[in-house]
Amino acid sequence: MALINCEAYVTLVTSDSFVVGAGVLARSLQATGTKRKIWCLASSKNLSANSLEILRSVFDGVTEVECIDSGDKANLALLGRPELGPTFTKLHVWRLSQFQKVVFLDADTLVLKNIDDLFERDEFSACADIGWPDCFNSGVFVACPNDKTFEALLKLAEKEGSFDGGDQGLLNTYFSDWSVGPSSRRIPFTYNLTINASYSYAPAYARFKNEVKVVHFIGAQK
Ligand code: GLC
Ligand code: MN
């Protein structure tokens, strides 16, 4: 029980348009019966007072943070998502030192089944990205907050930047042994079913759809 108090689900809201998604995510987590705290990082300067009030009413806690923007126009253009610079704000996860371990979920994810077993995994655990499966998708991951890691990530961002202009490229560079390290760091795809209009493996979806635990609505159109 004591450990449970040191563990939390965390999401990120960097604009008013993410508030509804984050609220739905929080409610979907609550519906799984989890006892872990459900927390929100919010870059409050970009949010209306009303948005902050909604987030405070839905989440167990809201931590207001400064927005970190990669400002990397070239790589974001390559990704085709010029609006994703502020996803660097996700790095604040590592500063939530009141928690020993967190399961981070993007605000565009929806939890369908209890996923508390993810807390048995170590930093850094994540699912493969469908675009390049030797990389992980940074919409769902297990991490252990630590100021040193936060500083190291910022340093890496300054030195090398991010190859996709967002948090995912930077995190894949930092946790670069994810695809070859211990297999427990590779979470099954059913914990981060990235779904978009061009999803191409319909037979696998038909076979495994009842096992899906988290759906992730990636892409500009949600
Ligand atoms: C992908 C990930 C998302 C991340 C973005 C930018 O879209 O799903 O979590 O923020 O890349 O790196
Ligand atoms: Mn996402």
Side-chain angles (χ1 to χ4, degrees):
M1 191 65 186
L3 198 61
I4 287 178
N5 292 330
C6 304
E7 298 176 339
Y9 290 101
V10 179
T11 193
L12 168 70
V13 172
T14 52
S15 77
D16 290 329
S17 61
F18 280 111
V19 173
V20 171
V24 172
L25 165 64
R27 292 289 186 231
S28 73
L29 277 166
Q30 287 160 359
T32 68
T34 184
K35 293 203 165 51
R36 266 76 177 188
K37 290 240 157 63
I38 303 174
W39 212 260
C40 186
L41 288 170
S43 56
S44 42
K45 278 191 191 148
N46 306 329
L47 299 178
S48 68
N50 187 40
S51 289
L52 271 175
E53 204 182 306
I54 294 170
L55 293 174
R56 286 209 188 90
S57 69
V58 177
F59 285 85
D60 294 319
V62 175
T63 299
E64 296 183 36
V65 294
E66 291 283 324
C67 180
I68 313 176
D69 192 327
S70 73
D72 184 349
K73 289 202 174 96
N75 283 323
L76 287 169
L78 200 56
L79 185 65
R81 300 289 303 280
E83 75 283 12
L84 292 186
T87 62
F88 265 28
T89 312
K90 206 184 276 185
L91 303 183
H92 282 290
V93 161
W94 277 273
R95 299 186 74 200
L96 291 172
S97 53
Q98 67 268 47
F99 303 121
Q100 282 177 12
K101 194 179 279 186
V102 303
V103 169
F104 180 87
L105 294 149
D106 270 1
D108 58 354
T109 60
L110 180 71
V111 177
L112 304 178
K113 293 185 196 314
N114 187 289
I115 52 170
D116 283 345
D117 55 296
L118 288 181
F119 288 98
E120 287 160 29
R121 293 178 189 259
D122 297 323
E123 175 173 278
F124 182 94
S125 299
C127 307
D129 187 83
I130 51 168
W132 193 273
D134 281 345
C135 288
F136 55 80
N137 180 276
S138 63
V140 177
F141 61 81
V142 181
C144 297
N146 183 315
D147 280 342
K148 284 197 178 122
T149 311
F150 175 72
E151 299 298 336
L153 282 162
L154 278 191
K155 225 179 229 166
L156 181 66
E158 273 162 31
K159 203 169 137 226
E160 286 184 37
S162 161
F163 63 78
D164 74 358
D167 63 287
Q168 182 162 303
L170 180 71
L171 292 173
N172 268 280
T173 302
Y174 188 80
F175 297 106
S176 60
D177 70 343
W178 170 84
S179 66
V180 293
S183 60
S184 61
R185 311 270 160 93
R186 292 183 288 282
I187 302 172
F189 189 59
T190 47
Y191 288 77
N192 184 359
L193 182 91
T194 43
I195 200 155
N196 65 12
S198 62
Y199 189 70
S200 60
Y201 201 9
Y205 179 71
R207 166 70 180 81
F208 298 111
K209 65 177 189 291
N210 293 330
E211 292 168 35
V212 173
K213 294 179 174 66
V214 181
V215 182
H216 183 183
F217 298 92
I218 58 168
Q221 304 293 326
K222 304 292 180 202

